[in-house]
Amino acid sequence: QVQLVESGGGSVQTGGTLRLSCTASEYTLSTYCMAWFRQSSGKEREGVAGVYTNTGTTYYSNSVRGRFTVSQDKAKNTLYLQMSSLKPEDTAIYYCAAGNGAACYKFSAGIYDTWGQGTQVTVSS
């Protein structure tokens, strides 16, 4: 069972940047995709960005496209999320997840079967 540990969260002002990291206990071929989700108070968890691990193809939600960049370093078993031009509405707990399935880009919860514990991101105005 792959274990995921997020880090890099914190507090920034509007327009600031943060980089989140997610280190996996192993980066196996069975991990078809890796993604970042977020959940803010009172809202459902939403997919933010992800990558198909074998091809490196990335996918984003409309709310972050152009501001966030997802990347992976297989040698370090690590997934990253570079966040720029942060807004107060980006405030949330950010989770990384590992999934299997061609429809990873839909951020369907049923595809992602391994989750990290989350890291808090707070953006103040």
Side-chain angles (χ1 to χ4, degrees):
Q1 180 78 18
V2 176
Q3 292 183 325
L4 305 174
V5 179
E6 302 97 334
S7 61
S11 298
V12 296
Q13 293 187 327
T14 298
T17 63
L18 277 175
R19 189 177 80 158
L20 305 183
S21 300
C22 171
T23 300
S25 58
E26 57 183 278
Y27 226 73
T28 68
L29 293 177
S30 64
T31 302
Y32 194 72
C33 55
M34 297 284 293
W36 290 96
F37 289 74
R38 67 186 181 186
Q39 187 169 21
S40 54
S41 181
K43 295 185 178 181
E44 293 186 356
R45 187 176 298 183
E46 64 168 337
V48 174
V51 60
Y52 288 94
T53 57
N54 285 339
T55 65
T57 302
T58 58
Y59 45 96
Y60 299 89
S61 68
N62 289 335
S63 61
V64 306
R65 185 175 289 110
R67 299 189 298 122
F68 291 9
T69 301
V70 62
S71 61
Q72 61 177 348
D73 186 334
K74 289 186 175 182
K76 296 182 178 180
N77 291 347
T78 301
L79 179 74
Y80 300 100
L81 184 67
Q82 179 69 45
M83 304 184 293
S84 302
S85 301
L86 283 161
K87 306 174 182 179
E89 51 264 44
D90 294 319
T91 295
I93 299 174
Y94 283 70
Y95 302 87
C96 71
N100 291 284
C104 292
Y105 70 98
K106 294 183 178 181
F107 297 110
S108 300
I111 288 178
Y112 295 90
D113 52 12
T114 302
W115 295 82
Q117 84 289 349
T119 186
Q120 176 71 48
V121 171
T122 302
V123 185
S124 59
S125 58

